[in-house]
Amino acid sequence: MISYSCIEEKDLSQIIALYENYLNSGEYIRNSMEKEFYNGDYLGFKACKDGEIVGFFTGQSGISFTCPHPELENEIKEFAKDRKIYTPDGLLVLEEYRGREITRELVGRMRRALLDKKVELALVELWIYPDGSIPAQKPLRGIGEAVFQKKVPLFYKEIKKYGIRCPICGEDCTCGALLELLEVKSDSDEGV
């Protein structure tokens, strides 16, 4: 049976190890994740099977990208005006546990937590693989509908400067990103 709960300090090393194994790795990533966790506005949920983390979803307040993109941050701030933004990121479910509604449950928990914090917009940085696929787009729509979208080819081209490694491309990443601001849907919205 899969159990769900908030990520705790004792989980941090395992979450970072999973993130680095399946998403991005490097000292910059580790430091960012630790900083995010100790931020007073951190959100993190885990799915466990027999005491082992098999999935997680984390997030932080404000605008946060894998690596800095000041011009895009300014564009998003201008679009959002005074609406509260949160950046959910780090959604992962181990391959052998996919197809069991774990992603749906983690996304639902994040959406409800965002509503509790009165967050209006969720900024998602969706990885566009070199083959053009965007695996996380459909599940993250469980948070809400996109009110802003921008495709950025070679979004991760500078990761080498930050010591970050892409699990697909390595240091010389050719992946793009689709940036979306999702309007966080309320419990009364259809499909919840």
Side-chain angles (χ1 to χ4, degrees), residues 17 29 43 54 91 93 120 126 132 165:
I29 294 296
L43 287 176
V54 299
L91 175 61
V93 174
E120 298 171 72
L126 301 163
R165 226 179 131 67

Side-chain angles (χ1 to χ4, degrees), residues 154-172:
L154 301 173
F155 184 81
Y156 305 98
K157 70 181 178 185
E158 301 286 322
I159 63 172
K160 188 176 188 173
K161 277 187 355 187
Y162 299 94
I164 300 172
R165 226 179 131 67
C166 170
I168 295 174
C169 310
E171 292 176 342
D172 297 315

Side-chain angles (χ1 to χ4, degrees), residues 5-13 15 37 42 44-46 53:
S5 59
C6 290
I7 293 172
E8 301 174 49
E9 187 172 17
K10 67 181 176 69
D11 303 317
L12 194 54
S13 61
I15 295 292
F37 179 81
Y42 173 81
F45 303 96
K46 64 184 176 183
I53 297 173

Side-chain angles (χ1 to χ4, degrees), residues 38-104:
Y38 291 110
N39 171 343
D41 220 6
Y42 173 81
L43 287 176
F45 303 96
K46 64 184 176 183
C48 295
K49 170 83 170 149
D50 299 328
E52 290 297 313
I53 297 173
V54 299
F56 65 85
F57 196 13
T58 64
Q60 61 185 307
S61 61
I63 297 171
S64 178
F65 293 128
T66 299
C67 57
H69 286 277
E71 70 288 349
L72 293 171
E73 291 176 29
N74 289 335
E75 184 177 344
I76 289 167
K77 284 177 190 172
E78 190 175 305
F79 177 87
K81 306 270 186 253
D82 60 349
R83 292 184 282 178
K84 189 173 181 180
I85 298 176
Y86 214 87
T87 302
D89 65 357
L91 175 61
L92 173 71
V93 174
L94 297 179
E95 192 170 349
E96 59 269 28
Y97 291 94
R98 293 179 189 161
R100 299 184 191 190
E101 300 291 319
I102 295 171
T103 300
R104 182 181 173 95

Side-chain angles (χ1 to χ4, degrees), residues 112-123:
R112 289 187 295 277
L114 293 172
L115 287 169
D116 288 347
K117 289 183 172 287
K118 308 287 190 250
V119 173
E120 298 171 72
L121 298 171
L123 172 63

Side-chain angles (χ1 to χ4, degrees), residues 19-47:
Y19 196 101
E20 286 198 294
N21 194 36
Y22 294 99
L23 301 173
N24 292 308
S25 63
E27 186 176 349
Y28 183 86
I29 294 296
R30 288 188 297 277
N31 291 342
S32 294
M33 290 183 74
E34 286 176 3
K35 182 180 175 188
E36 177 183 324
F37 179 81
Y38 291 110
N39 171 343
D41 220 6
Y42 173 81
L43 287 176
F45 303 96
K46 64 184 176 183

